[in-house]
Amino acid sequence: MKVYKFGGASVRNAGGVRNLHNIIRDEKELFVIVSAMGKTTNALEGVFDACRTGNAAAAAERINEIELYHYGIIAELFGDPSLRIAAVDTFLKELRDFADPSRYDSSRPEEWYDKIVAFGELISTTIVSEYLNSQGTANRWIDMRRCFVTQPRHKDANVLIEESAPLLRREIAGERTRIFIGQGFIGSAPDGSTTTLGREGSDYSAAVAANILDAESMSVWKDVDGVLNADPKIFPDARKIDALNYVDTIELAYSGAQIIHPKTIKPLQNKQIPLYVRPFGDKSKSGTAITGSAPSVTVPIIILKRNQSVLTLRSRDLSFVLEEKFPIVFSTLERFRIKTNLIHNTAVELSLCTEESWHLEEAAEALQREGFDTAICRNVELLTIHHYDSALYEKYATAGGNVIGQTSPDTLRVVRYRSEG
Ligand code: ASP
Ligand code: MG
């Protein structure tokens, strides 16, 4: 069994879905994980926001746009503008029900977020599965909520692999058809409520499926030739890396390289399953191979992580932040699902570079109640350079607009005000 993962960009239109078919059509035993189409997850976050803020009209309007977008793709794929897919309509109806502000439970925002946002993958996989069947590529649609048991934690859950393994194996056992289409990004908590695995979490879903099914390999099909040493949109002389090891990959992913979700590597590493990052535009190209045995990379790797904030905390009673306050700071951030990407401290001050989050103010207020003065600096980004040389150091470490800088012999990290582009 192989596992393939297709991200939102690769299925953002009818051409992308046809291309997916082209890539998988010769496979015999395949588990395919698919993300929500295009920017659907962002759109669903917009639906959730409208619901949370009581704006029924905005929620309805956003769902109408989501419906039109998907039915546009369906019309083109099947060549029939009046075709309806019953399962898609059922999901849209459920989505409308959950997005109704009068039903919203404000004591459980993350749980409600998951209920709403999961429809992106439920709808995309339904369309892909029906299209493949219509083209003679028989497959089975798998509801990953029945296969992945996750922690009882909403918006950023981990899959409980031991509990999930028998469920996923049972789900596909005895099927004559050996092509399966499942959703990335979603699962269920032990109480049965839908959970999501963190933004961009479909890679992780595919890795968990690969682990459970003892896959011979996992491939992620992307709109780039493989893993590059920098984002070509920002650094024009970016180069492709042919081979990477798991450790370097997890570091790169954590620093914000958009190659793969950081949670993806562990389930693969545990079973030594190779991961290929391949261009969906050309399946003959080799892409990048990520394995346990590849040598460490030596070229500089430049990663820009956008949409960051710096939360600065100062203990009012002058207690030492690291020794005395560390647990309370991080348990508070964890409660609000805020991810910290860089830590900088003095005796009584702690600056944390975190992901932008609608919970940041709430977390800051909670920390004020714990005896901190707080300040939030928005509109910053985190630049990480592994294997930097003196030219890169000169250019980035000493630039104006840097808010925090950290240098080790191998890695330079700078939090700076947002650049253009
Ligand atoms: N659709 C989800 C997202 O956009 C998961 C994924 O794409 O991996 O975050
Ligand atoms: Mg995506």
Side-chain angles (χ1 to χ4, degrees):
M1 178 78 77
K2 291 183 201 162
V3 173
Y4 280 3
K5 182 258 171 174
F6 291 87
S10 62
V11 290
R12 70 179 192 282
N13 54 27
V17 178
R18 287 195 201 102
N19 187 49
L20 177 155
H21 182 219
N22 182 38
I23 289 174
I24 72 159
R25 66 189 326 155
D26 300 327
E27 298 296 334
K28 297 281 168 285
E29 278 224 79
L30 188 65
F31 204 99
V32 186
I33 290 286
V34 185
S35 299
M37 292 175 155
K39 302 264 180 249
T40 301
T41 305
N42 292 358
L44 287 164
E45 285 189 341
V47 171
F48 168 73
D49 263 336
C51 169
R52 179 173 68 97
T53 53
N55 193 338
E61 191 185 318
R62 285 174 182 159
I63 296 173
N64 289 344
E65 280 166 18
I66 290 169
E67 173 168 8
L68 275 177
Y69 167 63
H70 286 92
Y71 268 103
I73 293 174
I74 292 169
E76 203 183 322
L77 282 175
F78 295 88
D80 176 359
S82 61
L83 178 79
R84 302 299 296 188
I85 296 180
V88 171
D89 286 344
T90 305
F91 287 136
L92 286 166
K93 180 174 182 315
E94 287 173 19
L95 169 60
R96 287 195 165 90
D97 288 346
F98 286 131
D100 176 351
S102 67
R103 283 193 60 192
Y104 175 63
D105 178 351
S106 62
S107 68
R108 295 178 297 159
E110 279 83 17
E111 187 171 334
W112 222 265
Y113 171 97
D114 284 350
K115 282 187 200 308
I116 288 178
V117 166
F119 285 104
E121 272 71 10
L122 290 165
I123 293 173
S124 71
T125 48
T126 303
I127 296 172
V128 167
S129 172
E130 297 248 343
Y131 174 70
L132 296 180
N133 278 327
S134 79
Q135 297 300 301
T137 299
N139 69 90
R140 237 197 79 198
W141 183 83
I142 302 286
D143 187 339
M144 297 307 285
R145 296 172 299 181
R146 292 163 46 92
C147 307
F148 280 175
V149 189
T150 71
Q151 300 164 307
R153 171 187 163 86
H154 288 279
K155 206 169 178 235
D156 185 16
N158 286 341
V159 180
L160 305 173
I161 294 190
E162 262 181 46
E163 286 83 337
S164 303
L167 301 179
L168 179 62
R169 291 198 193 113
R170 190 182 325 136
E171 192 75 15
I172 69 169
E175 285 292 328
R176 294 249 321 273
T177 304
R178 300 308 290 166
I179 307 277
F180 302 96
I181 310 289
Q183 307 78 40
F185 184 53
I186 67 173
S188 295
D191 69 358
S193 60
T194 299
T195 49
T196 61
L197 312 181
R199 286 302 309 265
E200 306 303 324
S202 295
D203 298 333
Y204 170 59
S205 297
V208 172
N211 175 302
I212 291 173
L213 302 175
D214 288 307
E216 67 190 73
S217 67
M218 166 174 157
S219 297
V220 174
W221 298 88
K222 294 190 70 98
D223 58 353
V224 286
D225 277 349
V227 179
L228 309 182
N229 74 323
D231 181 344
K233 289 185 211 112
I234 308 170
F235 302 99
D237 32 336
R239 283 174 280 169
K240 192 190 91 158
I241 302 169
D242 295 330
L244 270 170
N245 61 40
Y246 294 130
V247 179
D248 283 343
T249 308
I250 209 165
E251 288 293 348
L252 297 182
Y254 187 80
S255 315
Q258 300 269 314
I259 29 170
I260 207 92
H261 193 285
K263 295 201 294 196
T264 311
I265 299 302
K266 185 168 183 282
L268 298 176
Q269 190 269 346
N270 291 352
K271 293 229 172 141
Q272 293 292 311
I273 298 169
L275 167 63
Y276 300 104
V277 178
R278 301 172 66 180
F280 67 72
D282 187 350
K283 68 173 169 179
S284 68
K285 285 192 180 162
S286 61
T288 297
I290 298 166
T291 58
S293 56
S296 205
V297 277
T298 49
V299 290
I301 296 188
I302 310 171
I303 302 149
L304 188 62
K305 203 171 170 99
R306 296 188 192 269
N307 301 327
Q308 304 293 297
S309 299
V310 173
L311 171 64
T312 299
L313 310 170
R314 172 186 277 266
S315 61
R316 262 181 237 128
D317 60 0
L318 296 193
S319 53
F320 296 117
V321 270
L322 278 195
E323 290 87 338
E324 297 163 41
K325 298 285 183 153
F326 214 71
I328 183 75
V329 171
F330 282 95
S331 59
T332 304
L333 294 177
E334 150 72 18
R335 182 147 56 84
F336 289 101
R337 308 288 188 271
I338 293 169
K339 286 220 163 64
T340 302
N341 295 316
L342 176 140
I343 301 175
H344 186 79
N345 77 293
T346 65
V348 297
E349 209 174 87
L350 188 63
S351 291
L352 304 168
C353 176
T354 72
E355 302 288 327
E356 267 295 353
S357 161
W358 36 274
H359 282 320
L360 205 54
E361 257 89 25
E362 291 167 70
E365 279 162 28
L367 287 163
Q368 284 162 18
R369 290 193 291 275
E370 299 292 343
F372 291 100
D373 288 330
T374 67
I376 298 174
C377 166
R378 296 201 182 264
N379 288 327
V380 295
E381 57 192 19
L382 173 61
L383 179 72
T384 303
I385 307 181
H386 293 290
H387 314 305
Y388 63 90
D389 55 24
S390 52
L392 288 167
Y393 183 87
E394 282 305 315
K395 180 156 182 207
Y396 294 108
T398 57
N402 286 357
V403 182
I404 302 172
Q406 286 182 351
T407 320
S408 74
D410 192 52
T411 303
L412 166 67
R413 305 188 83 198
V414 170
V415 180
R416 61 184 200 182
Y417 284 106
R418 193 171 63 193
S419 58
E420 294 311 308

